[in-house]
Amino acid sequence: MNTIISAAKKCRRALSLFAILLINVQSFAQKPADPQPDKMPVALETDYALSALPPQLRPGATVYLLDPAKGYYIARKGSNGFICFVMRTAWEWAEFRNDIITAISYDAEGARTIFPIYQDVAAMRAAGKLTALQVRNIVVDRIKKGIYKAPARPGISYMLGPVMRTYPGTPAENKVLTMHMPHYMFYAPYLTNADIGNIPDGQQDGPFLVNPEAMFLGKRKAPYGYIIVPAGEKERAKIIADNKALLQRLAAYSPYFKK
């Protein structure tokens, strides 16, 4: 009888220990997940995405919208080779945030070689199985393996929207700002600011080069550099004035866009 009682006590202790371990495992598994981007209203997301382009290119552009549960999808098929979308994940910074909201467009070459990274990152984030750091590591590895390729010819990305919310620095900094900075971006694979005469490195008093991937791949090894040319003062003022209604809609949608 004593043997049976002793065995029962051991069994209870084992079950109690198992229960404690199970609770701890469940608590760990149920930790708050990384935030998914919220779904922007379709009309607002469409108009904001199109604002990245100059007016004459908007009617023929393909518009991609974001389904936070799946990734980007074609909302409107275009005919002129240009695409536009709202970027919600800046993968280089290895952070999943809800306050990255920036309208971007690409010509046909950028749509072929650069936009697929945004598509894959959005899909990986939507799946919820990887951390932001793991997503960045996957992208960097695919660049090294040549799965993601540099643009094969010169081209342009218009970012002429009246406002954007993103990182102004490098992946070494995680400060996010709301900026009125319409600009033009020309593909400059593997270049540095020294190559275009912008020294000290990256002074923003004229054309300058940005290439966040260089921090991970090394100088002259990163294929997604851009020579950035800010819109002139008069052009910038006109863009903001022409998009007054859009700015009001964006401010109503998100506090990040309020003055």
Side-chain angles (χ1 to χ4, degrees), residues 69-253:
K70 294 180 180 179
Y72 286 104
Y73 65 94
I74 295 177
R76 190 188 82 183
K77 182 67 176 175
S79 58
N80 62 10
F82 284 86
I83 68 165
C84 59
F85 64 102
V86 178
M87 183 266 289
R88 303 298 302 273
T89 305
W91 64 266
E92 298 96 331
W93 277 259
E95 286 188 314
F96 287 154
R97 301 177 60 133
N98 252 334
D99 62 336
I100 304 297
I101 313 173
T102 300
I104 304 178
S105 73
Y106 285 108
D107 65 4
E109 184 62 13
R112 183 182 73 86
T113 59
I114 304 175
F115 181 59
I117 299 178
Y118 289 100
Q119 288 179 299
D120 291 349
V121 166
M124 286 188 279
R125 181 176 181 179
K129 297 179 180 179
L130 300 170
T131 66
L133 180 58
Q134 287 172 322
V135 169
R136 183 175 76 184
N137 290 341
I138 288 171
V139 173
V140 170
D141 184 61
R142 289 178 181 176
I143 292 173
K144 290 179 178 179
K145 291 178 178 177
I147 296 172
Y148 297 137
K149 302 182 184 301
R153 62 161 175 79
I156 188 168
S157 166
Y158 291 101
M159 291 186 67
L160 298 177
V163 67
M164 61 181 182
R165 172 87 181 172
T166 190
Y167 301 89
T170 70
E173 309 165 18
N174 64 354
K175 185 177 182 180
V176 174
L177 297 176
T178 299
M179 297 169 280
H180 298 282
M181 187 190 161
H183 58 278
Y184 303 85
M185 304 201 305
F186 300 93
Y187 310 147
Y190 312 114
L191 293 187
T192 68
N193 272 291
D195 293 323
I196 65 171
N198 189 314
I199 49 178
D201 190 32
Q203 295 297 302
Q204 297 184 22
D205 54 358
F208 59 97
L209 191 136
V210 297
N211 193 340
E213 297 83 35
M215 286 194 65
F216 321 113
L217 297 165
K219 284 189 175 183
R220 304 193 186 284
K221 295 182 180 179
Y224 303 116
Y226 300 95
I227 294 174
I228 293 183
V229 180
E233 185 176 346
K234 290 183 178 179
E235 183 184 11
R236 175 177 171 271
K238 185 176 188 305
I239 287 171
I240 293 173
D242 289 348
N243 286 279
K244 183 177 180 181
L246 176 59
L247 286 168
Q248 290 174 342
R249 291 163 63 198
L250 287 167
Y253 157 71

Side-chain angles (χ1 to χ4, degrees), residues 33-54:
D34 288 316
Q36 288 286 9
D38 58 288
K39 175 59 181 162
M40 292 183 72
V42 168
L44 177 61
E45 187 175 5
T46 299
D47 291 346
Y48 183 41
L50 284 166
S51 76
L53 287 160

